[in-house]
Amino acid sequence: MSGSPMRKVVLRNLAAHKVRLFLTLLSVVLGTAFIAGSFVFTDTLQSSFDDIFANQAKGVDVRVSPKEIQSLGIPNEVVDKITTMDGVRAVAPGVNGPVVLLQDGKAVQTGGAPTFGTSYLPPDKAIAEPEKYIDGVPPAQSGEVAINKGGADRAGLHVGDTTKVLIPSKGNIDVKITGIYDLTGNTGGYINLYFDAMQAKQLFTDGAHVAFVDIADKPGVKADDLRDQIAKAYPDYKVQDGDQVREDLKKQIGDALKFINYFLLAFGAIALIVGTFIIYNTFSMLVAQRLRELALLRAVGASSGQVGWSVVSEAFVIGLVGSALGLAAGVGLAFGLSALLNAFDLGLPTGSMAVLPRTVAVALLVGVVVTVVSAYAPARRAATTPPVEAMREGASASSETPHLGIAGSVILSFFGLFGVYSLTRSIRTVLESPRLRPAFGAVLTVAGLVLVVLGARHTGGNAALTVGIGALALILAVLLLGPTLSQPIVGALGILVRPFGPVGRMSVNNAQRNPRRTAATAFALTLGLMLVTAIGMLGASAKASIGEVVDKGVKADYILQGPTNSLIGVPLAAGPTVQKVPGVRDVVQFHGVTFKAGDDQMLGTVPEGPLDKVLSYDLVQGSGNLGDNGIMLSETEAGDRNWHVGQKVDITSLDKKNYQVEVVGIYKDTQMLGPLVAPMALYNQVMPVSFRTNYIVLIGAQPGADLKTMRTDLEAAVDQWAIVQVQDREDFKGAQGKQINTMLAILYGLLALAVVIAILGIVNTLALSVVERRREIGMLRAVGMQRPQVRRTIYLESMLIAIFGAVVGVVLGLVLGAGFLRTLKDLGLATISVPWGQIVLMVLSSGVVGVLAALWPAVRAARTPPLAAIADV
């Protein structure tokens, strides 16, 4: 665009089409808001955690800690040797471990934030800067604890109060609150209890190790030199200065937040992709409606480049304004998300919203680029249409002049904008051909199906990638074949509107009139429902797989389970306690163990008790008698490692201590046991005391026992620990299903944005279609069609487009969902289940959504003055 006159044309057109462009602007706002909100939300959390960690290890010159979290720790003899090293003025060993704070017999809820017990050292022995006590004093002896202010407020505790603390490996202990100290920043639900150093060592260590060692250097010794000296002497440990400790903590949080950020950005990208269809449709129809106007501009001297750039400039303004509004909305979205999470008490820290320059740049760039790219093909059409042809009566989007449609337009927009014109012309020739385009789509369909089938025959990342590539091919195929598919499918759906007589037939004809526009409008909904269908299959299959594993594998009558996604699990004392309950015959506690075979980390199950009494598993080879150094492997694990029964293998603990074990048995794969089963002797050798717990306890009843009475007695026996639940098999399956439902609710909530944008696309397309068919509607009104009939026609047309998009989306989702689920078979998703009830409801809901989306366009169409519309030229 160049010169003041064309600039005035752009501004005038934007002002003249306020209502039409509002929904386009809204789609840009929603998409960019999601992306900006994702960055602001995670940046705010990162900033809050950075504030918390700012005072960690303050005053510490060097800290020595294990490289692996679940290692036994730093041996006492290493601590003693460090004490005697040159340049070391003092050392302060520290210990810690996960705990549960109990108040009035109930666990203090932290919303998912951790609760830790930590050793307290007085100022004359400590090295790190001491916390500021706002009430009371630090613990001085066994049975005394100090608590951070946030934790005290959550628990309603004050100095002098007594309560209980659950230690997973020890059980409940009585404590008295002697002090309340302050932590920098808002720590959310985090709770830390300071114990007397001697008691902490008894509770959280084996007596031979500590969790970490803080070191102070002598005057004149540089901390970096001391750090390097200790690192050289002890290369198997992590040796850091205070700054590195803080940066390491920040990095751990940053890595976790990156996953959340990428997860949220993926849904923001989906919303923007759906938004491209709205933008493309809007500009295609606006250009078609203004062809005569643009031809007049050409006739009075405007060049084709000026005309094309005028359209692109309109898109640029919309993208820029929409992105700026989206950025502001993103800050509000992040604030709302933080408030929502706080309302659900997830224990996250809070702070002021962090809007970084990167967020502003990304939001503006993405919004503008997406809008301009989507408008490129309509702009090119405006610039290349000859003036004489454009001024012909009836030139509009409904004409059958070949054009690319959204699929080819978006692809070629990228090539065209970046100057790859030779490739652009070649692809354009194929995509504009009424014969080659469907043929190309058919080839992509076959290729996509072949890739999905090939990927579904295997498991793992490569298989999922193969299915993903096939999914992309199928999505592109639907884009290309959409116009071809819309004619027969909409025609078949016409049976739904047959009871409406001529009005129904007219709505079918309107939906079939411009198949490219119908396909582009419906595809936005297709993409959303494809993902909803695939996610619904994932949830249903997960529930079905869990149900099958429990029904076929668990023989126990009752199950003890602790908090989900927690380090606490079920206290070790629970097993011996429930064994004394009348009617109980078998109690098997299950622990988790971690060690290495070569460079590979292995996770194993450690049963404590008669495994075959509570679980059904098929032993293929060998024996289930583990002894002190025997292990069993699943068939898959044994095959992958080429291990066999009788083979002795070397393993290494996370403390780099070597052990030799013997493969005594191989069993068929089962999720209840995982890839490996190890003995209790190995567990006691390699697992630190602070991490020793049960992740589940299975209980078998004596023959003839009254299960109802036994359950009541079990609940009374474990009530002292507050966090332990007694479940039968159906309760257990229901609890797992509840977790899956929570995950699905989050995913559906994130996908809702894409569906909302798809609905806006239907509204926008129908509104512009009404303007385009203004004379036609006026003619129908003139020959006797009533306003209710006009409205009904628009309602039914919208419903047909929505159901068409939903049907294609469901079919695509079923194919891709089945393919992806097959690749997850090794993770326990062995049963594929289709939620047919949910799918039928989605299709019906799509029809309702279509009708709702047509309310405003239908009312506008019904109000068209017949004579004025007929006279409109």
Side-chain angles (χ1 to χ4, degrees):
M1 185 186 70
S2 61
S4 179
M6 293 306 295
R7 187 178 299 112
K8 290 179 179 179
V9 169
V10 171
L11 297 177
R12 187 206 67 186
N13 284 327
L14 289 172
H17 303 115
K18 299 185 194 72
V19 177
R20 301 180 200 174
L21 298 180
F22 169 75
L23 295 176
T24 305
L25 183 69
L26 187 58
S27 67
V28 178
V29 170
L30 290 176
T32 52
F34 209 100
I35 288 179
S38 301
F39 278 118
V40 172
F41 176 68
T42 52
D43 288 343
T44 300
L45 280 179
Q46 181 70 66
S47 177
S48 298
F49 278 111
D50 287 351
D51 290 342
I52 294 172
F53 295 145
N55 288 327
Q56 290 290 315
K58 270 291 185 71
V60 175
D61 295 315
V62 180
R63 174 172 288 182
V64 180
S65 58
K67 289 183 178 180
E68 301 286 351
I69 294 177
Q70 291 189 2
S71 71
L72 293 175
I74 309 298
N76 291 339
E77 55 267 26
V78 172
V79 178
D80 294 338
K81 290 179 181 179
I82 291 175
T83 304
T84 62
M85 292 182 69
D86 292 337
V88 174
R89 176 175 60 85
V91 299
V95 299
N96 53 39
V99 301
V100 177
L101 178 62
L102 305 178
Q103 176 68 340
D104 298 327
K106 297 181 180 179
V108 176
Q109 299 300 315
T110 64
T115 300
F116 274 97
T118 308
S119 58
Y120 172 79
L121 292 176
D124 60 323
K125 295 182 180 180
I127 292 174
E129 293 182 2
E131 282 78 11
K132 179 182 177 182
Y133 278 76
I134 58 179
D135 191 13
V137 295
Q141 59 184 0
S142 178
E144 296 181 347
V145 297
I147 186 172
N148 63 304
K149 185 178 184 304
D153 291 342
R154 275 184 171 266
L157 291 171
H158 305 88
V159 172
D161 290 346
T162 58
T163 187
K164 293 181 182 293
V165 176
L166 169 60
I167 313 296
S169 60
K170 305 294 183 181
N172 292 346
I173 62 170
D174 295 315
V175 297
K176 179 180 180 180
I177 308 297
T178 62
I180 298 175
Y181 63 93
D182 194 22
L183 287 177
T184 303
N186 185 307
T187 56
Y190 173 72
I191 298 177
N192 185 70
L193 299 169
Y194 273 128
F195 289 81
D196 168 70
M198 185 62 68
Q199 185 179 23
K201 194 167 185 178
Q202 294 171 351
L203 295 174
F204 304 123
T205 76
D206 57 2
H209 298 79
V210 296
F212 60 88
V213 182
D214 285 341
I215 303 167
D217 56 31
K218 290 181 178 179
V221 176
K222 292 183 178 180
D224 290 351
D225 293 340
L226 181 60
R227 178 199 62 201
D228 295 342
Q229 176 189 347
I230 297 174
K232 184 177 181 180
Y234 298 100
D236 292 338
Y237 299 110
K238 187 189 299 183
V239 183
Q240 302 169 302
D241 59 33
D243 290 337
Q244 290 175 326
V245 170
R246 289 185 288 276
E247 288 304 315
D248 193 32
L249 291 170
K250 293 177 182 179
K251 183 180 182 299
Q252 292 176 28
I253 292 296
D255 291 343
L257 292 177
K258 278 182 182 178
F259 171 78
I260 297 174
N261 196 29
Y262 293 151
F263 182 74
L264 294 175
L265 286 177
F267 286 91
I270 292 170
L272 279 175
I273 290 172
V274 173
T276 60
F277 294 91
I278 299 178
I279 299 166
Y280 169 80
N281 259 1
T282 299
F283 277 94
S284 292
M285 298 181 73
L286 286 177
V287 167
Q289 292 165 17
R290 292 163 47 199
L291 278 179
R292 300 181 68 189
E293 170 195 328
L294 297 173
L296 286 173
L297 289 173
R298 293 284 305 279
V300 298
S303 67
S304 61
Q306 287 177 314
V307 170
W309 275 108
S310 70
V311 178
V312 171
S313 297
E314 291 180 30
F316 176 80
V317 172
I318 290 173
L320 186 61
V321 174
S323 299
L325 294 175
L327 177 62
V331 175
L333 184 65
F335 182 83
L337 182 58
S338 296
L340 179 65
L341 295 179
N342 287 334
F344 281 98
D345 194 22
L346 294 189
L348 293 173
T350 57
S352 57
M353 292 291 112
V355 184
L356 303 182
R358 176 257 288 139
T359 303
V360 177
V362 169
L364 294 178
L365 183 64
V366 168
V368 170
V369 169
V370 166
T371 310
V372 171
V373 166
S374 300
Y376 172 79
R380 188 181 184 280
R381 185 185 179 203
T384 57
T385 301
V388 175
E389 178 185 343
M391 294 180 70
R392 284 190 298 109
E393 183 76 16
S396 72
S398 61
S399 65
E400 291 304 320
T401 303
H403 60 284
L404 296 173
I406 184 65
S409 299
V410 172
I411 295 171
L412 295 185
S413 294
F414 282 105
F415 290 124
L417 286 176
F418 290 103
V420 191
Y421 295 113
S422 58
L423 181 58
T424 299
R425 284 194 298 270
S426 301
I427 299 177
R428 179 180 294 278
T429 301
V430 174
L431 296 180
E432 283 187 339
S433 170
R435 293 184 178 179
L436 293 180
R437 178 189 172 102
F440 189 40
V443 170
L444 282 176
T445 301
V446 174
L449 288 174
V450 169
L451 287 171
V452 170
V453 171
L454 289 176
R457 297 174 63 183
H458 305 281
T459 60
N462 291 333
L465 178 62
T466 302
V467 173
I469 297 173
L472 179 60
L474 288 175
I475 291 171
L476 291 175
V478 171
L479 275 170
L480 294 172
L481 294 174
T484 305
L485 294 173
S486 68
Q487 294 276 19
I489 295 179
V490 171
L493 292 174
I495 192 173
L496 300 175
V497 297
R498 188 174 297 172
F500 295 93
V503 170
R505 290 194 296 274
M506 187 175 297
S507 66
V508 174
N509 292 335
N510 288 339
Q512 291 179 315
R513 176 183 302 182
N514 193 323
R516 294 183 187 275
R517 183 192 304 159
T518 296
T521 304
F523 188 78
L525 197 58
T526 294
L527 189 60
L529 290 189
M530 175 197 74
L531 294 170
V532 171
T533 301
I535 290 173
M537 286 184 66
L538 173 63
S541 300
K543 292 178 186 177
S545 298
I546 290 173
E548 183 176 7
V549 168
V550 173
D551 291 339
K552 293 183 177 180
V554 177
K555 295 191 290 186
D557 298 288
Y558 288 109
I559 301 166
L560 301 186
Q561 193 174 31
T564 56
N565 302 320
S566 170
L567 296 173
I568 301 299
V570 180
L572 294 181
T577 300
V578 298
Q579 183 71 72
K580 301 174 183 177
V581 171
V584 172
R585 183 184 64 182
D586 303 304
V587 175
V588 181
Q589 301 179 92
F590 288 83
H591 319 287
V593 68
T594 306
F595 51 80
K596 289 185 176 182
D599 294 329
D600 298 333
Q601 187 161 296
M602 301 184 70
L603 302 177
T605 299
V606 180
E608 186 177 1
L611 179 61
D612 59 328
K613 298 292 186 180
V614 294
L615 279 184
S616 293
Y617 66 99
D618 296 325
L619 197 61
V620 179
Q621 299 178 38
S623 164
N625 184 16
L626 300 177
D628 289 339
N629 67 341
I631 61 171
M632 292 193 298
L633 301 171
S634 68
E635 281 187 304
T636 298
E637 189 73 16
D640 290 345
R641 298 186 179 279
N642 198 27
W643 290 357
H644 55 82
V645 172
Q647 181 177 352
K648 290 182 169 59
V649 295
D650 294 322
I651 62 172
T652 306
S653 72
L654 299 185
D655 294 284
K656 299 187 181 299
K657 293 182 179 179
N658 297 320
Y659 300 89
Q660 189 176 76
V661 295
E662 179 182 350
V663 179
V664 298
I666 296 175
Y667 54 87
K668 285 187 177 180
D669 292 16
T670 171
Q671 289 300 307
M672 293 303 296
L673 293 178
L676 178 146
V677 178
M680 276 299 297
L682 181 64
Y683 176 79
N684 290 330
Q685 287 176 305
V686 303
M687 286 299 291
V689 172
S690 59
F691 285 98
R692 293 181 189 177
T693 186
N694 304 307
Y695 67 81
I696 200 171
V697 178
L698 300 184
I699 303 170
Q702 296 176 356
D706 185 338
L707 294 181
K708 187 175 181 180
T709 302
M710 178 176 158
R711 177 168 188 160
T712 302
D713 294 340
L714 287 172
E715 290 172 343
V718 302
D719 183 63
Q720 58 182 305
W721 296 299
I723 60 171
V724 180
Q725 294 181 319
V726 179
Q727 301 171 330
D728 58 22
R729 287 189 289 269
E730 293 303 316
D731 293 334
F732 181 77
K733 289 188 291 185
Q736 307 308 308
K738 187 176 180 180
Q739 294 181 50
I740 295 170
N741 289 338
T742 301
M743 177 195 71
L744 292 179
I746 294 172
L747 295 177
Y748 289 149
L750 294 172
L751 278 176
L753 178 63
V755 176
V756 167
I757 294 178
I759 295 170
L760 291 176
I762 297 175
V763 175
N764 213 16
T765 301
L766 289 174
L768 293 171
S769 176
V770 166
V771 174
E772 181 182 289
R773 286 149 44 190
R774 177 178 169 84
R775 296 186 66 196
E776 173 191 327
I777 294 171
M779 188 70 73
L780 290 171
R781 289 291 314 283
V783 298
M785 178 174 273
Q786 301 298 311
R787 287 184 175 181
Q789 292 177 307
V790 174
R791 289 196 296 268
R792 200 172 301 129
T793 302
I794 305 297
Y795 294 154
L796 296 178
E797 178 186 353
S798 177
M799 183 188 74
L800 290 171
I801 293 174
I803 294 179
F804 163 63
V807 169
V808 176
V810 165
V811 172
L812 200 57
L814 289 173
V815 173
L816 300 183
F820 276 115
L821 285 170
R822 285 296 184 190
T823 68
L824 301 176
K825 190 175 180 180
D826 60 329
L827 299 180
L829 293 177
T831 303
I832 294 181
S833 178
V834 179
W836 292 112
Q838 177 184 332
I839 288 175
V840 171
L841 182 62
M842 284 193 306
V843 174
L844 295 177
S845 299
S846 298
V848 175
V849 164
V851 173
L852 295 175
L855 290 178
W856 175 60
V859 170
R860 187 175 182 184
R863 291 176 179 173
T864 302
L867 295 180
I870 294 172
D872 190 16
V873 293

